[in-house]
Amino acid sequence: MFDNHNRPINYLRLAVTDRCNLRCFYCMPEEGIHYLPKKELLTFEEIYRLVSMLATMGISKVRLTGGEPFVRTDLMKLIRSIVEIPGIKDLHLTTNGVLTSTFIPELKKIGIASVNLSLDTVDKQRFKAITRRDEFEPVMKTLNLLLENEIPVKINAVVMDGKNIDDIIPLIELTRNNKVDVRFIEEMPFNGEGNHYTSLTWTYKKIISYIQEHYPALHKIPDPDYSTSYNYSIPGYQGSIGVIAAFSRTFCGTCNRIRVTAQGVLKTCLYDDGVLDIKTLLRSSLEDEAIKEKLLHAFRHRVKDGFEAEKKRSDHLPVHESMSTIGG
């Protein structure tokens, strides 16, 4: 399955909830969040039907996101069903780790492909300041259990000027003795309040330069197909390092992913404001083939990159919604 720019589409990022048990300031406001009523979320049955349809169209990789996925009751029931869908080769998970540790043995058993753990600091006090919650210990427990169970894990750290720059080196040091990928991400304006900086200070180039200053032996390694990160390693270190130009948007030309929000809205670009109301289609009398045609139409009219998507937003305003409503 290809879009109108001849980019393959084989990766679905699916938000199962807009709720989260942390309040990271770069993702959402501390208060005043209007969560979706449960009836506005896609049901597990609707998710299963949608993923099954997309699997027949060429989607082979699925990532469950949120909000925080484990806030949704019986998430493991959904996970168990998705791994059985013909055509789905890899099921991945993005989590903040607060509630995850209990489920790690079963995730290992069913063969979860990888887990992305959101962790912006390894300092307990900075963790509380960034997330506005005191949940550092359960998150670190999750990280340690993932490593013990040899589940491939990537740590996602958003680089924030004046907030966690001192954590870049300690996070990299996690790769010294652990087979973990630490990925540093440019901060984006998805915090539910609009862009909270006039310009991006810590661009991907500055992040890479900073790391090179501290690790002169840092060297580039091949990037996997469709990678969103520039990848590096340090001689003698077991893990690797990635830098994601999420705000600079340098990887749009090879983007192979689509997103579905918790309320069932299709996003063919992170920066668009939704291109198709899938939930309404699923709750109509339309058969699967008719829904597939509408999905294909959306894929055939995909924007070239995140800058074009932002310009075409219906409100003609820069991105301002919370990342928890989009799907991380």
Side-chain angles (χ1 to χ4, degrees), residues 2 28 77 134 141 156 199-200 219 224 236 282-283 297:
F2 292 83
M28 61 174 70
K77 177 182 177 182
D134 189 12
K141 180 180 179 181
N156 287 342
S199 63
L200 182 65
H219 66 274
L282 292 170
R283 295 180 183 180
H297 181 269

Side-chain angles (χ1 to χ4, degrees), residues 203-259:
T203 65
Y204 73 98
K205 292 181 179 179
K206 182 172 181 177
I207 297 169
I208 294 170
S209 176
Y210 180 88
I211 297 172
Q212 287 175 327
E213 288 174 9
H214 290 79
Y215 298 93
L218 182 81
H219 66 274
K220 188 77 179 64
I221 58 177
D223 299 326
D225 290 341
Y226 316 117
S227 175
T228 57
S229 59
Y230 299 108
N231 299 286
Y232 301 82
S233 67
I234 301 170
Y237 282 51
Q238 293 188 39
S240 64
I241 300 157
V243 180
I244 300 178
F247 187 74
S248 299
R249 288 164 259 189
T250 62
F251 48 79
C252 296
T254 58
C255 182
N256 66 330
R257 64 195 58 79
I258 55 173
R259 294 172 181 265

Side-chain angles (χ1 to χ4, degrees), residues 24-303:
C24 301
F25 77 92
Y26 59 82
C27 180
M28 61 174 70
E30 184 171 9
E31 297 177 350
I33 304 168
H34 301 290
Y35 286 125
L36 294 168
K38 187 175 181 180
K39 65 180 181 180
E40 295 299 321
L41 300 175
L42 289 180
T43 66
F44 283 177
E45 292 76 15
E46 288 167 342
I47 290 173
Y48 181 85
R49 182 185 174 195
L50 173 61
V51 175
S52 297
M53 279 191 287
L54 288 169
T56 67
M57 299 169 69
I59 294 293
S60 59
K61 176 180 177 180
V62 175
R63 177 175 299 281
L64 299 182
T65 72
E68 166 49 41
F70 282 105
V71 169
R72 184 146 181 186
T73 306
D74 292 331
L75 179 70
M76 290 305 302
K77 177 182 177 182
L78 177 65
I79 290 175
R80 286 191 293 269
S81 69
I82 291 178
V83 296
E84 297 297 327
I85 295 175
I88 300 302
K89 299 177 181 177
D90 298 301
L91 179 62
H92 304 254
L93 181 69
T94 294
T95 177
N96 62 28
V98 174
L99 301 173
T100 314
S101 61
T102 303
F103 305 99
I104 289 176
E106 187 173 1
L107 290 172
K108 173 72 172 181
K109 184 178 180 180
I110 67 173
I112 198 81
S114 74
V115 173
N116 282 10
L117 180 66
S118 300
L119 181 64
D120 304 307
T121 175
V122 289
D123 180 88
K124 186 174 182 177
Q125 291 308 119
R126 280 198 290 271
F127 182 94
K128 187 174 181 180
I130 291 170
T131 67
R132 300 162 174 151
R133 296 292 186 271
D134 189 12
E135 298 285 4
F136 180 73
E137 298 302 333
V139 173
M140 294 307 294
K141 180 180 179 181
T142 290
L143 174 59
N144 290 328
L145 284 173
L146 288 168
L147 293 171
E148 288 174 17
N149 283 271
E150 298 182 332
I151 294 175
V153 57
K154 294 179 180 177
I155 292 174
N156 287 342
V158 177
V159 177
M160 298 162 281
D161 191 25
K163 299 288 185 180
N164 70 338
I165 303 306
D166 290 341
D167 281 286
I168 293 177
I169 302 308
L171 282 165
I172 289 174
E173 283 303 305
L174 291 176
T175 72
R176 181 188 290 269
N177 299 314
N178 300 293
K179 290 183 179 180
V180 59
D181 299 326
V182 175
R183 305 193 304 177
F184 298 101
I185 307 172
E186 287 181 340
E187 188 179 1
M188 296 177 287
F190 300 110
N191 69 336
E193 299 172 337
N195 199 340
H196 51 88
Y197 44 74
T198 54
S199 63
L200 182 65
T201 303
W202 282 84
T203 65
Y204 73 98
K205 292 181 179 179
K206 182 172 181 177
I207 297 169
I208 294 170
S209 176
Y210 180 88
I211 297 172
Q212 287 175 327
E213 288 174 9
H214 290 79
Y215 298 93
L218 182 81
H219 66 274
K220 188 77 179 64
I221 58 177
D223 299 326
D225 290 341
Y226 316 117
S227 175
T228 57
S229 59
Y230 299 108
N231 299 286
Y232 301 82
S233 67
I234 301 170
Y237 282 51
Q238 293 188 39
S240 64
I241 300 157
V243 180
I244 300 178
F247 187 74
S248 299
R249 288 164 259 189
T250 62
F251 48 79
C252 296
T254 58
C255 182
N256 66 330
R257 64 195 58 79
I258 55 173
R259 294 172 181 265
V260 175
T261 70
Q263 63 192 104
V265 174
L266 173 67
K267 293 171 68 71
T268 56
C269 175
L270 175 62
Y271 285 84
D272 70 36
D273 54 357
V275 298
L276 185 65
D277 182 356
I278 298 175
K279 180 181 66 183
T280 296
L281 298 177
L282 292 170
R283 295 180 183 180
S284 71
S285 58
L286 288 177
E287 298 291 336
D288 287 3
E289 291 306 314
I291 296 176
K292 288 181 187 179
E293 278 301 315
K294 293 184 179 296
L295 288 166
L296 284 171
H297 181 269
F299 301 153
R300 292 174 187 139
H301 293 81
R302 198 175 180 210
V303 293

Side-chain angles (χ1 to χ4, degrees), residues 305-318:
D305 54 36
F307 298 104
E308 181 183 349
E310 199 164 16
K311 289 178 181 178
K312 287 188 172 183
R313 290 172 64 89
S314 58
D315 55 13
H316 303 295
L317 296 173

